[in-house]
Each structure stands twice: as structure tokens, then as C-alpha cells.
Amino acid sequence: KVKNGGVKKISPKIFPLLSHSMPYAPQCLTFSSKSVTIVLEVEMNAKQKYIKLYKEMADLCEAEGWGDPFSYARSKEIYAACVLGHDIAPTLSGADAYNEKGEPVEYKSTINKKIKGSYTGISVQSTWEKQERYLREEKLANYPEHFYNRFENGKLVESWKLTGDKVFNILLPKLKKKYATILTKKDPRLSADITNKDIKNNGTQII
């Protein structure tokens, strides 16, 4: 029995209709009659909480035009843009966000103990001259700023900024070494890292 205005906590397992007929159990149910109002607070388990939060995140990003937060590192990009005061890019291709000047910026995220940035899946051009131009004009130096963000325990705990020109100059010799033999590989695409040392020696710490 629950007295008028009282609260009773129950488990979804005790209320099978909730746990089987709904994607996640609501946090409370209210039953009213002429004389009694009964409020039942339902304790969600971890899986139900995850489903609820997932839906809330998806709905929020849809409403704001931020794209799918669960594609690749998109959720980390959205988080970083909010913290860094940037505008979130509306699409997954091209810039990850736009800085306070409205310029496109690139984000690299990691959960490692040491911050770094990986550039993978770079398209290979037919000659090195074309490759260098592609890297300068379409892949690296075309973004005035590159941000390297390290996450820990669900939070952005470290962020560094490098200019696009510095990123281009650091990565160019690394990529050139791989270019001559890349087409013989099973995955004929270029990749290289901006290391922790590269970042610390050439960047500016934001967080």
C-alpha cells in the first residue's frame, strides 16, 4: 500500500510490463484516482540507462544539426567544439568545426596517456608532385588550425593547437618516405602520426 502522495521505488523486474514493452523504463509513473495519487519511481538498470541516454544524445544532435554523434569520433568532436568555443560542422566530411574566425579546423582525438594525432586513409595521387599539392591544398595546410584533444574518464583533459602549415611541414617528410612503396601495400593509402614530441615542440597548449 502507498499512502496519498507517498513514493515507492520498484525494480523494472517487478514491473515486467515496463521492461518488455518500452525501450527503456521511465523514471517515474503516476497513477491518479479521485482520492489517491500514487507515484512509482522506477530504477533503471545500466542497459536501460544507456538506451535512454543514447536516444537523448541522438535527438539533441538531430535538433541542432550536428550530425550522427556515434559515427567515428564524432561525439568527441562535438564535445571538443563545445569546450573550445567552436561551431560544430554540420557534416562528417571536410572540417570538423569552425573557429572563432569562421575558419575550418581539424580535430584529432585520443584516449591514450600521451597526446598525439593520427592521419590515416590519405588518398594516394599519381605523382609525388600531385601528392604534395593535395596535402597542402586539400588535406593539411588548408585547415589553418589543427587541434589535438585527449580524453580521460569521459572528459576533455588536454588540448593543443598547431597551425596547418606546421602540420604540413611535419608530416610531409614522413609521408614522402612511404609514398614510393605505398601502392604495393594491401591498403594503398598513406598514414602518419603527429607524435607527442611533435605537438609539445611545435604547438600551443589550450587545456
Side-chain angles (χ1 to χ4, degrees), residues 124-156:
V124 175
Q125 308 303 308
S126 58
T127 67
W128 176 248
E129 289 73 20
K130 291 181 180 180
Q131 187 72 49
E132 184 173 344
R133 184 166 58 253
Y134 169 75
L135 293 171
R136 181 187 299 106
E137 297 177 2
E138 299 183 44
K139 193 67 180 177
L140 302 175
N142 57 311
Y143 299 114
E145 296 174 336
H146 292 231
F147 289 82
Y148 303 87
N149 303 314
R150 187 172 71 84
F151 288 79
E152 188 175 291
N153 298 323
K155 294 181 179 180
L156 177 60

Side-chain angles (χ1 to χ4, degrees), residues 107-119 147-150 158 160 192-200:
Y107 286 162
K108 295 297 178 183
S109 303
T110 184
I111 57 172
N112 293 335
K113 292 296 182 183
K114 290 187 176 182
I115 199 164
K116 69 168 191 173
S118 296
Y119 293 76
F147 289 82
Y148 303 87
N149 303 314
R150 187 172 71 84
E158 187 178 4
W160 290 71
D193 288 346
I194 294 288
T195 66
N196 181 266
K197 184 178 180 180
D198 292 331
I199 293 171
K200 298 292 178 68

Side-chain angles (χ1 to χ4, degrees), residues 49-96:
K49 287 181 181 178
Y50 182 89
I51 292 170
K52 179 177 182 292
L53 293 171
Y54 185 103
K55 183 65 166 61
E56 289 178 355
M57 180 75 81
D59 288 346
L60 173 63
C61 291
E62 175 69 21
E64 295 296 327
W66 295 342
D68 184 357
F70 309 110
S71 293
Y72 302 99
R74 183 62 170 177
S75 59
K76 291 184 175 66
E77 293 171 358
I78 295 171
Y79 189 119
C82 292
V83 173
L84 297 172
H86 296 161
D87 291 326
I88 301 160
T91 62
L92 296 176
S93 60
D96 295 321

